[in-house]
Amino acid sequence: MPEPIELRWSHAGLNCRDLEATEDFYRTWFGFERARSVQMGDDRVVFLRNGDAYLELFTASAEPAPSPTGDGPGEPGSIRHLAFQTDDVQAFLDRARGAVPVSLGPLEFDDFIPGWRTVWVTDPDGVVVEVSQGYRDEEQPAQHGH
């Protein structure tokens, strides 16, 4: 097997019915700022940045996928959800005050990690976005295949 090369996470690309509404959602609720806008014929592609995380927004004219429920779609080949960490899920919900649709939760996962709490919301195109607090990696995670 060849030696792996170093790769770094770059971005997630999202198809949007309304580019401006989607950009406003991620700017308002998740702290993204516009990093670049590229005009490609009649279409525009917008890159948003929050620290090292980028979202690439594309205008899409196709019919929207069915709205996912819960923590996102379960079909293979689909993205289940995007996820962000916060120190306080309740503060996020208090700030949103019903302006962001909740698809699931908030739920507590203290049985797995004390203090782990999560809520799932949807963006203007129905993409499920997880907001959680308290997640930590295992100290000794099980190895691949075990």
Side-chain angles (χ1 to χ4, degrees), residues 100-123:
V100 178
V102 173
S103 62
L104 181 64
L107 299 177
E108 295 184 11
F109 299 104
D110 288 319
D111 290 346
F112 305 102
I113 300 172
W116 187 12
R117 187 168 191 237
T118 303
V119 66
W120 292 266
V121 300
T122 56
D123 81 1

Side-chain angles (χ1 to χ4, degrees), residues 1-130:
M1 186 161 161
E3 287 294 315
I5 61 170
E6 181 183 340
L7 296 173
R8 293 169 308 285
W9 177 257
S10 177
H11 65 270
L14 303 177
N15 292 320
C16 311
R17 284 179 292 220
D18 181 335
L19 205 69
E20 287 75 24
T22 303
E23 180 176 359
D24 287 346
F25 176 84
Y26 287 100
R27 287 172 57 94
T28 301
W29 304 110
F30 295 93
F32 281 83
E33 294 295 331
R34 185 179 283 193
R36 179 175 296 272
S37 179
V38 179
Q39 195 67 39
M40 302 178 77
D42 291 339
D43 292 326
R44 187 164 40 105
V45 178
V46 173
F47 286 86
L48 302 179
R49 179 180 185 181
N50 181 342
D52 291 334
Y54 285 86
L55 295 174
E56 183 179 14
L57 308 182
F58 295 89
T59 302
S61 58
E63 288 299 313
S67 292
T69 59
D71 68 343
E75 296 83 16
S78 64
I79 303 278
R80 192 171 190 108
H81 54 251
L82 302 177
F84 296 90
Q85 291 285 322
T86 184
D87 292 332
D88 189 342
V89 166
Q90 190 58 52
F92 172 83
L93 290 170
D94 290 346
R95 181 173 175 261
R97 291 189 191 97
V100 178
V102 173
S103 62
L104 181 64
L107 299 177
E108 295 184 11
F109 299 104
D110 288 319
D111 290 346
F112 305 102
I113 300 172
W116 187 12
R117 187 168 191 237
T118 303
V119 66
W120 292 266
V121 300
T122 56
D123 81 1
D125 297 296
V127 173
V128 175
V129 183
E130 174 183 335

